[in-house]
Amino acid sequence: GENVEQHPSTLSVQEGDSAVIKCTYSDSASNYFPWYKQELGKRPQLIIDIRSNVGEKKDQRIAVTLNKTAKHFSLHITETQPEDSAVYFCAASTVGGANSKLTFGKGITLSVRP
Amino acid sequence: DGGITQSPKYLFRKEGQNVTLSCEQNLNHDAMYWYRQDPGQGLRLIYYSQIVNDFQKGDIAEGYSVSREKKESFPLTVTSAQKNPTAFYLCASSLGTTLAGELFFGEGSRLTVL
């Protein structure tokens, strides 16, 4: 089955700096890669996703890049703000497969220092 | 106000007792999911259902049971066979069944076994 790993497990940045969170996946058939943000005590929420037919997607201060050859994808947050502090989960799935399901990584705790 | 509702928010159980967690959605979503969240373990899939009266095991189904008698409801029973039931449980739903769309999560239920 699919195995999704996130590195590092924690990340601390200064407010205004950029943050990059990386994930690797094992199943070359995976073709959908969402990122979820979970603030302390709240539910996870989708912040951005990417499909395997594109290499990059942007939405204001966040972007996701995908390298299918290396089987890794990354979340980029620019001009970080204290409200970006949260746990970020990456995930991968194979859309359309007979037993497709979404596999999450273990999460990365991002702390933005004011 | 559309959304996904879990209850109870906090639950305490004695060893050997079964407990049922409720999950209701009024989003008219076809698919529903149960995840377990433990510190440092990410989100692990317990069960999922893509259609009424049908459901599939996820990665950690042992000791759990579900039913999907109505489109709106997907209750999870944590049985006495679950060896380590203390955890945070998240229910989610999605509009489609291809696992390439946004998951909408409930606020979660925290189960503590005394």
Side-chain angles (χ1 to χ4, degrees):
Chain A
E2 176 65 276
N3 182 42
V4 178
E5 295 189 353
Q6 296 188 238
H7 300 280
S9 60
T10 61
L11 180 63
S12 180
V13 299
Q14 191 70 38
E15 182 178 359
D17 288 349
S18 295
V20 181
I21 302 171
K22 300 178 181 179
C23 281
T24 60
Y25 61 98
S26 61
D27 189 350
S28 57
S30 289
N31 52 16
Y32 174 65
F33 308 92
W35 284 89
Y36 284 80
K37 174 185 180 182
Q38 186 179 29
E39 297 178 24
L40 188 62
K42 296 189 177 181
R43 69 189 81 190
Q45 291 188 300
L46 179 72
I47 55 172
I48 196 168
D49 57 12
I50 192 169
R51 296 169 194 263
S52 60
N53 58 346
V54 298
E56 183 175 5
K57 184 177 179 180
K58 291 183 179 180
D59 184 3
Q60 299 181 340
R61 293 189 298 109
I62 60 173
V64 56
T65 58
L66 172 65
N67 184 326
K68 289 186 292 183
T69 302
K71 290 190 283 187
H72 69 72
F73 56 112
S74 300
L75 178 70
H76 305 254
I77 306 174
T78 60
E79 301 174 7
T80 53
Q81 301 168 4
E83 51 264 39
D84 294 328
S85 296
V87 178
Y88 291 82
F89 295 98
C90 61
S93 75
T94 307
V95 175
N99 295 301
S100 59
K101 59 183 179 181
L102 199 60
T103 300
F104 284 88
K106 293 184 177 181
I108 290 176
T109 301
L110 174 65
S111 300
V112 179
R113 305 186 302 273
Chain B
D1 185 26
I4 182 164
T5 303
Q6 291 185 238
S7 64
K9 192 170 183 178
Y10 298 96
L11 186 61
F12 298 88
R13 188 195 92 179
K14 292 182 179 180
E15 283 191 20
Q17 290 180 336
N18 293 353
V19 62
T20 298
L21 307 180
S22 170
C23 179
E24 302 279 334
Q25 54 98 0
N26 60 5
L27 300 168
N28 199 31
H29 284 175
D30 293 312
M32 297 187 74
Y33 313 82
W34 275 104
Y35 286 90
R36 171 176 171 148
Q37 185 174 18
D38 297 284
Q41 293 296 316
L43 302 173
R44 292 183 291 170
L45 183 63
I46 304 172
Y47 269 98
Y48 64 104
S49 168
Q50 296 178 319
I51 194 170
V52 174
N53 293 323
D54 189 40
F55 47 82
Q56 287 78 39
K57 292 182 179 180
D59 299 316
I60 56 166
E62 184 177 354
Y64 300 97
S65 65
V66 294
S67 63
R68 187 84 186 277
E69 297 177 0
K70 298 186 299 181
K71 186 176 184 178
E72 302 79 19
S73 179
F74 191 41
L76 173 74
T77 297
V78 185
T79 75
S80 56
Q82 167 52 232
K83 296 179 181 179
N84 186 20
T86 294
F88 188 58
Y89 292 89
L90 283 162
C91 180
S93 68
S94 65
L95 179 61
T97 58
T98 60
L99 295 167
E102 181 174 1
L103 290 182
F104 291 83
F105 285 89
E107 292 190 334
S109 294
R110 186 168 297 280
L111 172 64
T112 302
V113 175
L114 304 172

